[in-house]
Amino acid sequence: MMGERHIDQPALFYEFSLERHVPSDHLLRSIDRFVDLGDIREQLRPYYSETGRPSIDPELMIRMLIIGYCMGIRSERRLCDEVRLNLAYRWFCRLGLEGTVPDHSTFSKNRHGRFRDSDLLRQLFEATVERCMAEGMVGGEGFAVDASMIKADANRQRSVPGDEGLPDEATGQAVREYLAALDDTAFGAATPVVPKFISLADPAARWTGANGGLAFFAYCTNYLIDLKHAVIMDVEATTAVRQAEVTAQRIMIDRTQERFGIWPERLAADTGYGSAENLAWLVHERGIEPHIPVFDKSARSDGSFARADFPYDHQRDRYTCPAGKELKQYHRTYATPRPGVDKDGFMRYRASKHDCDACSLKPRCCPGQPARKIPRSIHEGARDMAREIAKTDAYVTSRRERKKVEMLFAHLKRILKLDRLRLRGPNGARDEFLLAATAQNLRKLAKLIPMQQLVPAT
């Protein structure tokens, strides 16, 4: 039987509670337990004037940004619309039904001013790390580091050849940040190589084709994670070159120790972090075991003997060739002692020409040279240590656990939708990467720390 026509008859009184209309298993309800912004007003008080109209509540803006990055809402204009309509978002922002949602332009004004001046977004991220530590989610023994390229808000059409440099008429916030970061080892000073193109909209973004496909302008987000539960311990924005990623690794390890008092026993990373200089820094300066493949180009493809075929005697400081002859730095004594290290940080070990001329293995050893030479880095001790670690079961475990950081990058791009930056300049990249890492830690807390069952209201 067809029901009667529904006639809308407004009630005289309504009783409505946002608390009852937000599901108990909603992600934001679980995240809300770990968001403590009680002291944010005191942190920002020095950056507000004592006179004039009251400002937008900074806690409201931060809560809205957390929603945007946790839910993959990339546009602040759309975020304002969603908060205006979504009951769960209003509940998380403490707005109620009658609360006014701020205009999207408010975020830009505060980001370029108070938030960056006070370093608020980094403090917000570090607060999530402290909460993870308090909940026992950080082991502190094994860390992993990696970087992932994120497309910048720039395109090839608005760029100039790199060897021409920026034109004099180029202006804007991103240009000023680029000029300020020219001497920064994470950006302008990361490499002497001139990029093929420079973007007029975002000059600090690096033109790169490292992914193997079409080249694009990009930044790198660098993660240092704890391997126990893949908690992000630190995050750093850099230009998209490998040298900058190694620099970021050192910055993040030192900052984690200074900020949280945690010094890992081992570090897992890919071959890009396996240079002799970086391995020596980890082993000799920081006492960290490098669970990292050694970056080694000594293997040969022509069938001749590689450097691995020449065992090294640490006590006598010399190599032995497959024929049993010795390779030494010097075969005679000089009146004036020589340093023995070239400008590139290598020591050269040479075989005797007399031995090589009479050797039957010369065609397989040094067919194009009068005698065999072997370069040895001054950091070879750290490289040898990394090679020995690579033979252990712990290394195999670290290689498997290192994939956790790659899974975080996949989550960042596919779930949180951060596959392309919306903000420009080094500071814009830092802001986005910090907020995204904050969102990932909060989601991790919500997933691993169960909520107490809510008692329904009577």
Side-chain angles (χ1 to χ4, degrees), residues 214-281:
L214 295 176
F216 54 90
F217 289 105
Y219 287 92
C220 270
T221 178
N222 298 263
Y223 278 4
L224 180 70
I225 72 165
D226 182 85
L227 290 175
K228 183 178 180 180
H229 288 295
V231 172
I232 304 171
M233 301 300 296
D234 205 351
V235 56
E236 184 73 9
T238 64
T239 189
V241 296
R242 177 59 70 177
Q243 297 91 322
E245 296 170 15
V246 175
T247 299
Q249 165 229 270
R250 301 184 183 187
I251 292 173
M252 292 189 294
I253 289 176
D254 286 345
R255 188 162 52 201
T256 300
Q257 193 276 334
E258 179 182 353
R259 182 65 181 84
F260 306 112
I262 295 179
W263 203 267
E265 296 179 4
R266 64 186 187 277
L267 178 71
D270 60 27
T271 312
Y273 299 85
S275 65
E277 295 80 4
N278 190 52
L279 293 175
W281 183 85

Side-chain angles (χ1 to χ4, degrees), residues 346-358:
F346 283 91
M347 300 172 286
R348 309 287 172 174
Y349 291 77
R350 299 170 176 84
S352 168
K353 184 177 181 301
H354 180 268
D355 291 338
C356 289
D357 287 341

Side-chain angles (χ1 to χ4, degrees), residues 124-134 138 231-234 260 441:
L124 178 66
F125 165 73
E126 290 178 348
T128 66
V129 179
E130 290 178 332
R131 187 58 186 266
C132 289
M133 294 171 59
V138 175
V231 172
I232 304 171
M233 301 300 296
D234 205 351
F260 306 112
N441 277 351

Side-chain angles (χ1 to χ4, degrees), residues 427-447:
N427 288 332
R430 290 189 186 101
D431 290 348
E432 293 226 56
F433 295 157
L434 281 168
L435 283 167
T438 300
Q440 288 183 291
N441 277 351
L442 287 173
R443 290 175 66 112
K444 180 77 66 176
L445 283 162
K447 178 182 178 181

Side-chain angles (χ1 to χ4, degrees), residues 295-370:
F295 186 79
D296 193 350
K297 293 291 185 179
S298 64
R300 297 190 172 188
S301 59
D302 58 359
S304 59
F305 295 130
R307 186 172 62 186
D309 297 317
F310 293 72
Y312 177 72
D313 188 333
H314 288 270
Q315 293 182 346
R316 302 177 64 207
D317 187 27
R318 59 195 60 189
Y319 285 91
T320 303
C321 75
K325 303 299 182 180
E326 294 182 342
L327 286 77
K328 301 182 289 186
Q329 279 192 277
Y330 304 111
H331 290 271
R332 64 186 180 91
T333 304
Y334 292 91
T336 303
R338 298 191 174 188
V341 181
D342 63 18
K343 62 179 181 179
D344 295 324
F346 283 91
M347 300 172 286
R348 309 287 172 174
Y349 291 77
R350 299 170 176 84
S352 168
K353 184 177 181 301
H354 180 268
D355 291 338
C356 289
D357 287 341
C359 183
S360 61
L361 299 177
K362 188 177 189 302
R364 292 189 58 195
C365 185
C366 51
Q369 300 174 346

Side-chain angles (χ1 to χ4, degrees), residues 8 22 43 69 101 159 185 193 205 225 230 253 268 272 295 348 353 434 447 454:
D8 184 19
V22 178
Q43 295 177 23
Y69 281 83
V101 178
S159 65
T185 54
V193 178
I225 72 165
I253 289 176
F295 186 79
R348 309 287 172 174
K353 184 177 181 301
L434 281 168
K447 178 182 178 181
L454 295 177

